[in-house]
Amino acid sequence: MGRWYVLLTVLCAGGALALSQRYGLDTPGTAVTLLITVPPAYLAWKAFLHDRADASRATDLGTVADHLAEAVKIQWDAEARIRRINDPYPLPVAWRAADIDLIEDWGLLTDIALSLPGCPPSDLADRPTGPDVLAGNGAEIGDVFSRRVPTRRLLVLGSPGAGKTVLLLRLLADLIDRRTPHDPVPVLFSLASWNPDLQELDAWMAEQLRQNHPGLTVPWASAPSSRRPADLAQALLEHRLVLPILDGFDEIPPALQAPALDAVNRALPLEQPMVLASRTPQYRSALTRGGIIVRLNGAAGIQLLPLEQAEAAAYLRRDAGGAHTAAAERWSGVAELLGGDTPVGQALSTPLGLFLARTIYNPRPGPANHAAPPPDPGRLCDTTAFPTRAAVLGHLFDAFIPAAYAATDREPARWSAERAHRTLVFLARHLETNRAGSPDLAWWELHHALPPRTRRRAVGLAAGLPAGTMFGLPFVVLGGYPDGLRGGSVIGGTIGLIFTLAGFMDPPAAPAVRLRWSLRGFASGLSIGLLTGLGTGLLVGLFDSPLAGLRAGITIGSGVGAVAAYTGALSAANPDLTVEVGPATVLARDRRTFGQIILTAVLGLVPAWTALLGLSEDDGLTSGTVVDAAFFGTLFGLAGGLATGLTVTAWGTFTVTRAHLGLRQRIPRDLLAFLKDAHETRGVLRQVGAVYQFRHIDLQRHLGQQLPSGGTDPAPRQGRP
């Protein structure tokens, strides 16, 4: 890409020198015309730095896999700390072999393993000979996958909240610890954002890798020259250096689950180790949907079990402070009902139920609870108040937000529980209503919370008012008061109204990372400018003189052409989310790109207008011409850069949307800070790469069914995209 910027710089310099020679410009005039080379030179320098950084990264796939393994470990170790998976200790989750109708016959699995390349019979001589050996508990999951499953293809099934995701994280950590250099890297993928009708699994996984891990958009030097070069993400997948751990199969829309299972079979051949996790009923339904039976090829399976009464009771007591303490004794009534058929016994039979209960009834130290006694969990045993398992879970979900936002000695509450609840309800309803139930809360998609017409008008107004002011300001400065003010108001108001009513600016699908040059956009913009200049020149020539029309056509057409060419040629490279992971980092890069667009437009148009006005005036290039050109070029550059920035970066639209929703008290003014606090401090959200998700999909759905305290619908219903 940098060579195009260098070529443009050379062409601009050559053109400036040719104009200087043709019109006999003096040294200051020549220097001013050469300023037009500043924007492409700036872009060439930035492209050079980026290309050099790309070239310095390792392209040996084994080394890339080792770096990826380190990044994966760091990412999920941090997430495990935030989710308090090991606090006070890992909750023991047990499992048994899955029902035989959901998995492959064990004898067939052994035959498949023996037939795979690189798996001689001696490797299976000491392996178990039946599915019962898959039963295990807690930390055994790594051994089950690595040594007890012949094909190393595993299906993990369980009820809602049974701990599937946490078990997958323990498996991922174990596999990374067992991994030797240049071996495949276990990577956790959340299937909720995958649509098998629109994208193949390997293409979707490559996209996820690019979004969540550094360096993987670098072109792979060993890619065949006969086709478009693959990047490192694609190369890792093609060489099976990624071990996919696919979570959330049940979160795919039901109508797409059977096609998704078939797509998994086609994308991941039998020799590819993999893991797939799902709720049991949804997986069972997907196998026979439409009368066509589809199985996960070559997979053994395990079924997660409810927590044992003694283990759950001991966990709650230990989290309260330890057995025989007064705080732990509060759980006596609940402990007696654990493991039974009572509503509270059923609700607290899963890690999700225990997590909610411990957060609410075992509060952390804080100023609000130093003197007051902790809440009594015994109320959960009241079958009149909570007659069903769903009623108990509903109460726990409702009480979870206030408990999470209670001030602690370590972190004071920046947002009240009521304010946080209102915001989280809005965001949950936004995901359920406007994003088809997707769990991915991406800041660059927040504009979908507004009706399309409102969104376009708001963005158009945000671009139109500054643009109109900039175009009208010269009339005020040059014409004085009141004529100049009246003319400026008319011109500026008209342009602002056109921007607002047109509402043509829609944000990109992904945030930007850096500027890039579009030759097609440059040509299109220049054509628009030349046609505008031709039309203006003809009109002026009809009412004045051919010479005046020619000058006006050159000046206005070239000026508009420069605006359109520079702003039309600038676009943003996306979705390159690879340098650092995190929503705040992605936002900062997109915002920086927005500023670079405006800066480049201004730098390009000031010298362009200086040269053009100098050539169109009888006196040539004078100090007055330079001042006028700088003034007009800056205004046109700001207006064009603002309009372009709103169309090729996501930050501008996000800022407008955030301001609109903030004024209506739907979200906090600093939304990213709120989301970061909800993730890192409160544990309400989890972070998956560049997006946030609710701690559990059932929490999202529970909040998504609520209305805020004001009783109005927080998210307009737009239908599913």
Side-chain angles (χ1 to χ4, degrees):
M1 186 60 67
R3 63 180 181 273
W4 293 108
Y5 299 136
V6 173
L7 177 60
L8 182 63
T9 304
V10 173
L11 291 176
C12 289
L17 293 175
L19 289 174
S20 175
Q21 178 69 24
R22 171 68 177 79
Y23 291 96
L25 298 179
D26 56 10
T27 300
T30 303
V32 170
T33 59
L34 285 172
L35 288 177
I36 199 171
T37 63
V38 171
Y42 167 75
L43 292 175
W45 172 248
K46 297 296 289 186
F48 167 74
L49 293 179
H50 189 275
D51 293 341
R52 187 174 66 175
D54 285 349
S56 66
R57 296 171 180 156
T59 54
D60 174 70
L61 287 184
T63 303
V64 171
D66 294 341
H67 292 167
L68 176 61
E70 182 179 357
V72 169
K73 180 175 176 58
I74 293 173
Q75 174 190 357
W76 291 113
D77 282 351
E79 194 66 22
R81 289 193 299 271
I82 292 172
R83 299 190 194 186
R84 296 174 59 191
I85 291 176
N86 300 318
D87 178 18
Y89 57 83
L91 187 62
V93 176
W95 58 85
R96 61 169 175 82
D99 295 339
I100 190 63
D101 62 318
L102 301 178
I103 57 176
E104 301 280 19
D105 177 76
W106 190 264
L108 178 60
L109 287 180
T110 303
D111 292 340
I112 291 174
L114 289 171
S115 67
L116 295 178
C119 185
S122 58
D123 289 350
L124 296 176
D126 59 346
R127 293 206 177 185
T129 57
D132 292 342
V133 298
L134 296 179
N137 186 298
E140 293 181 75
I141 185 62
D143 187 69
V144 166
F145 179 80
S146 300
R147 295 186 53 82
R148 305 185 201 176
V149 178
T151 56
R152 300 188 73 208
R153 293 169 67 88
L154 182 65
L155 176 65
V156 179
L157 301 174
S159 60
K164 297 182 293 295
T165 300
V166 173
L167 187 66
L168 295 182
L169 291 181
R170 298 187 69 173
L171 172 60
L172 183 145
D174 186 280
L175 292 177
I176 289 182
D177 289 340
R178 294 170 181 257
R179 180 181 178 273
T180 58
H182 295 16
D183 277 354
V185 183
V187 179
L188 183 66
F189 297 93
S190 177
L191 288 175
S193 61
W194 176 43
N195 186 330
D197 282 351
L198 301 179
Q199 201 170 21
E200 295 293 334
L201 179 65
D202 52 356
W204 174 81
M205 288 194 297
E207 183 178 285
Q208 298 298 304
L209 287 173
R210 297 185 193 104
Q211 289 181 350
N212 298 331
H213 298 286
L216 298 185
T217 56
V218 176
W220 183 41
S222 299
S225 58
S226 59
R227 61 172 183 166
R228 182 180 180 182
D231 60 17
L232 294 179
Q234 293 172 321
L236 287 173
L237 291 169
E238 289 175 3
H239 288 75
R240 298 177 189 162
L241 288 174
V242 171
L243 194 161
I245 301 178
L246 307 176
D247 189 20
F249 175 81
D250 52 278
E251 295 173 13
I252 297 175
L256 297 178
Q257 288 173 358
L261 195 57
D262 180 61
V264 170
N265 285 333
R266 287 186 282 106
L268 303 178
L270 286 174
E271 57 269 25
Q272 169 72 66
M274 53 86 64
V275 182
L276 177 70
S278 174
R279 295 184 181 184
T280 308
Q282 283 81 354
Y283 185 78
R284 187 184 298 275
S285 176
L287 294 186
T288 57
R289 185 174 299 276
I292 301 176
I293 298 178
V294 181
R295 291 180 185 273
L296 182 60
N297 293 340
I302 60 174
Q303 172 74 44
L304 272 60
L305 300 174
L307 296 171
E308 294 288 340
Q309 186 271 343
E311 293 176 341
Y315 187 81
L316 290 173
R317 288 193 173 105
R318 171 59 185 84
D319 187 65
H324 310 301
T325 63
E329 288 302 316
R330 297 178 301 115
W331 290 99
S332 297
V334 173
E336 294 177 358
L337 300 177
L338 294 176
D341 294 333
T342 61
V344 66
Q346 294 175 345
L348 301 190
S349 65
T350 65
L352 174 62
L354 284 190
F355 165 77
L356 295 172
R358 66 180 283 210
T359 303
I360 298 164
Y361 294 104
N362 290 340
R364 302 299 98 185
N369 52 44
H370 280 315
D376 180 17
R379 62 176 303 197
L380 297 175
C381 303
D382 185 353
T383 55
T384 302
F386 308 112
T388 64
R389 177 182 185 272
V392 176
L393 286 176
H395 162 72
L396 294 177
F397 281 135
D398 289 335
F400 172 58
I401 302 301
Y405 279 86
T408 66
D409 289 341
R410 185 175 63 91
E411 289 287 346
R414 181 176 174 184
W415 292 274
S416 67
E418 179 183 0
R419 177 64 167 141
H421 179 267
R422 184 166 63 248
T423 300
L424 293 169
V425 166
F426 172 80
L427 295 174
R429 287 184 62 81
H430 159 60
L431 293 175
E432 291 294 308
T433 304
N434 305 317
R435 306 309 298 152
S438 169
D440 293 342
L441 182 57
W443 61 262
W444 59 88
E445 295 179 346
L446 184 65
H447 62 270
H448 290 290
L450 299 177
R453 179 174 297 180
T454 301
R455 178 177 73 245
R456 294 191 179 98
R457 298 296 182 264
V459 175
L461 183 65
L465 286 180
T469 301
M470 294 170 190
F471 278 98
L473 188 60
F475 291 87
V476 179
V477 174
L478 299 177
Y481 179 86
D483 294 336
L485 179 61
R486 185 182 302 114
S489 300
V490 171
I491 297 296
T494 301
I495 293 175
L497 183 63
I498 292 173
F499 270 73
T500 303
L501 294 180
F504 62 90
M505 287 169 287
D506 276 325
V513 63
R514 60 188 174 92
L515 292 179
R516 65 183 178 189
W517 181 265
S518 169
L519 187 60
R520 179 181 299 178
F522 182 86
S524 299
L526 187 61
S527 299
I528 293 174
L530 294 177
L531 290 175
T532 303
L534 177 61
T536 304
L538 290 176
L539 289 175
V540 173
L542 290 175
F543 291 97
D544 194 340
S545 66
L547 181 59
L550 178 62
R551 289 178 174 176
I554 293 175
T555 302
I556 296 177
S558 301
V560 174
V563 172
Y566 266 106
T567 57
L570 293 175
S571 60
N574 56 51
D576 181 10
L577 315 178
T578 59
V579 177
E580 288 183 61
V581 173
T585 301
V586 173
L587 176 65
R589 289 205 303 263
D590 189 84
R591 182 175 57 227
R592 183 177 64 245
T593 303
F594 184 92
Q596 289 175 341
I597 290 175
I598 294 180
L599 176 63
T600 305
V602 172
L603 289 177
L605 296 182
V606 169
W609 272 79
T610 302
L612 292 170
L613 288 181
L615 296 177
S616 64
E617 296 289 340
D618 293 332
D619 297 333
L621 192 65
T622 65
S623 58
T625 304
V626 173
V627 172
D628 292 344
F631 182 69
F632 283 102
T634 301
L635 293 179
F636 272 73
L638 288 174
L642 177 62
T644 303
L646 285 169
T647 59
V648 302
T649 68
W651 176 77
T653 302
F654 169 70
T655 301
V656 173
T657 303
R658 184 182 60 183
H660 180 87
L661 295 175
L663 289 174
R664 301 182 64 185
Q665 298 296 307
R666 301 290 177 79
I667 61 174
R669 180 173 57 182
D670 193 349
L671 179 62
L672 264 293
F674 173 85
L675 296 177
K676 181 180 180 181
D677 177 75
H679 167 234
E680 296 183 356
T681 306
R682 309 301 162 185
V684 178
L685 302 178
R686 61 190 182 189
Q687 182 180 314
V688 182
V691 302
Y692 289 112
Q693 295 178 350
F694 278 87
R695 175 77 181 233
H696 195 275
I697 190 65
D698 287 346
L699 173 63
Q700 173 183 315
R701 291 167 181 167
H702 178 82
L703 293 175
Q705 295 171 358
Q706 298 183 14
L707 293 178
S709 56
T712 58
D713 191 346
R717 296 185 177 274
Q718 301 176 23
R720 296 181 182 266

